């Protein structure tokens, strides 16, 4: 559940001239808190952003892509929060089940988009210009990136955890082009409707790639992602989305850290968070309220 603190959480660790000074954080929407939370869980995003000269039109495309990464991670948080709210009770009407499927699908779409955007940034920084060729799943692309960003290429090389993860989330994302997963409910335990769970059902005729990639990534070992024989996969939406975040956010942050943003020139600014519209206190509150603390990277 998402519960605000019982007493006011006022932004007072700021200069009194700050436009948010005195604001009670409990009044913020989930979406605004997700913006703050995204900044906290991918702190290496700033290592790219601070190298951009926003007066230089040559940097504008990378600036747009970097903004897209942050926005997409925010939307992953927003949709996963909505999904968690939808699964808080066992009243699974058809409309609610459709919303669960939509929320699950959209988190995967946005996460794939974030990885695509960081791939293009690395491609541009390595001198590539052919956008369709700039994709982590392409060996030739990785080999080109390897010349200037060896760690980024290494993270996504064939057979690595990064590669297996990216294959799995792309396979699920691609259901937007193919057959949709079926959505329903599991049988209640001993007839108790409180134990009813929403379930996404995928079978091999329409979803062989998802079954194979989820198995290769090791996801079928987790409770809530069940492989029934070789041809059926049953997913709890909340488990699928939690794995998407738990494995994807650290990987995305590593890719951001490995991106050779210094090729754009020296870091041009490094604002103190408390001088922005997302001060540290807001980020910390967002991490607690949205249950994101486990996604904050450990200090290197």
């Amino acid at each position: 559940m998402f519960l605000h603190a019982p007493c006011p959480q006022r932004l007072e660790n700021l200069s009194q001239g700050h436009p948010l000074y005195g604001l009670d954080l409990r009044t913020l929407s989930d979406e605004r808190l997700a913006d703050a939370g995204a900044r906290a869980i991918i702190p290496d995003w700033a290592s790219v952003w601070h190298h951009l000269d926003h007066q230089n039109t040559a940097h504008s495309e990378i600036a747009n892509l970097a903004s897209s990464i942050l926005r997409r991670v925010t939307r992953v948080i927003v949709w996963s929060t909505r999904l968690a709210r939808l699964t808080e009770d066992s009243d699974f009407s058809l409309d609610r089940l459709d919303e669960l499927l939509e929320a699950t699908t959209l988190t995967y779409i946005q996460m794939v988009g974030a990885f695509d955007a960081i791939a293009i940034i690395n491609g541009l920084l390595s001198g590539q210009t052919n956008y369709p060729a700039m994709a982590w799943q392409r060996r030739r692309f990785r080999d080109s990136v390897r010349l200037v960003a060896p760690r980024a290429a290494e993270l996504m090389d064939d057979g690595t955890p990064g590669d297996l993860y990216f294959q799995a989330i792309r396979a699920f994302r691609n259901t937007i082009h193919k057959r949709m997963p079926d959505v329903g409910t599991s049988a209640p335990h001993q007839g108790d409707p409180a134990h009813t769970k929403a379930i996404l059902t995928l079978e091999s005729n329409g979803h062989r790639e998802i079954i194979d990639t989820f198995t290769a990534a090791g996801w079928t070992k987790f409770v809530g992602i069940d492989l029934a024989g070789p041809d059926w996969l049953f997913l709890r939406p909340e488990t699928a989305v939690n794995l998407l975040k738990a494995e994807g956010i650290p990987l995305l942050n590593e890719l951001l850290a490995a991106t050779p943003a210094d090729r754009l020139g020296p870091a041009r600014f490094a604002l103190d968070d408390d001088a922005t519209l997302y001060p540290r206190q807001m980020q910390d509150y967002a991490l607690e309220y949205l249950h994101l603390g486990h996604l904050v990277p450990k200090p290197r």
Side-chain angles (χ1 to χ4, degrees):
M1 297 179 66
F2 300 93
L3 299 174
H4 281 290
C7 55
Q9 301 292 305
R10 300 197 182 280
L11 281 174
E12 295 177 341
N13 299 328
L14 305 172
S15 69
Q16 293 191 11
H18 192 288
L20 299 181
Y21 180 80
L23 175 73
D24 186 349
L25 293 169
R26 300 176 304 169
T27 65
L28 294 176
S29 67
D30 286 0
E31 287 77 7
R32 181 65 186 278
L33 287 171
D35 276 330
R39 286 163 169 78
I41 63 177
I42 53 168
D44 281 301
W45 175 82
S47 68
V48 174
W49 189 254
H50 291 165
H51 281 272
L52 292 165
D53 179 356
H54 297 281
Q55 304 302 314
N56 186 339
T57 56
H59 290 191
S60 61
E61 181 64 359
I62 291 178
N64 289 336
L65 289 161
S67 294
S68 175
I69 292 170
L70 189 64
R71 186 62 179 155
R72 288 181 183 279
V73 171
T74 296
R75 298 313 297 173
V76 167
I77 297 171
V78 167
W79 282 107
S80 62
T81 301
R82 292 182 185 177
L83 185 148
R85 292 190 186 282
L86 287 166
T87 56
E88 283 180 352
D89 61 53
S90 57
D91 177 22
F92 293 119
S93 64
L94 288 176
D95 286 345
R96 182 179 289 250
L97 290 172
D98 281 342
E99 287 183 58
L100 280 167
L101 175 58
E102 180 182 41
T104 305
T105 303
L106 286 171
T107 59
Y108 275 73
I109 289 171
Q110 297 293 2
M111 188 68 91
V112 172
F115 277 86
D116 286 344
I118 193 62
I120 295 171
I121 289 174
N122 275 274
L124 293 173
L125 291 173
S126 62
Q128 300 185 53
T129 58
N130 182 8
Y131 276 59
M134 288 188 264
W136 293 120
Q137 64 268 32
R138 300 185 187 280
R139 182 177 300 175
R140 183 174 296 179
F141 167 75
R142 295 195 308 273
D143 287 343
S144 178
V145 166
R146 200 181 314 275
L147 299 175
V148 298
R151 176 58 179 160
E154 179 186 8
L155 285 166
M156 303 303 287
D157 272 338
D158 291 345
T160 62
D163 170 52
L164 297 177
Y165 170 83
F166 196 44
Q167 286 188 52
I169 69 170
R170 289 200 335 271
F172 193 92
R173 185 279 309 269
N174 287 344
T175 59
I176 64 173
H177 307 298
K178 303 174 183 178
R179 175 181 169 182
M180 293 174 63
D182 295 318
V183 59
T185 58
S186 63
H189 178 67
Q190 296 181 348
D192 184 354
H195 291 90
T196 301
K197 301 291 184 183
I199 294 291
L200 304 183
T201 302
L202 304 99
E203 53 84 27
S204 60
N205 285 339
H207 301 295
R208 181 77 262 165
E209 185 181 6
I210 296 175
I211 293 172
D212 290 345
T213 57
F214 273 41
T215 301
W219 288 8
T220 55
K221 299 176 182 177
F222 290 88
V223 173
I225 300 185
D226 301 313
L227 186 61
D231 296 324
W232 294 90
L233 189 64
F234 300 99
L235 309 178
R236 289 186 190 173
E238 61 270 35
T239 304
V241 170
N242 285 339
L243 279 169
L244 173 83
K245 294 187 297 182
E247 297 198 8
I249 293 298
L251 176 61
L252 180 62
N253 203 59
E254 282 195 78
L255 285 170
L256 286 162
T259 296
D262 56 352
R263 292 176 68 85
L264 295 165
R268 300 172 193 280
F269 64 94
L271 287 178
D272 183 342
D273 282 341
D274 284 345
T276 73
L277 294 178
Y278 300 93
R280 286 188 296 271
Q281 187 183 349
M282 184 190 294
Q283 293 183 27
D284 290 343
Y285 186 78
L287 291 173
E288 182 176 1
Y289 171 69
L290 296 171
H291 310 300
L292 299 172
H294 63 293
L295 297 175
V296 176
K298 296 178 181 179
R300 295 187 181 92

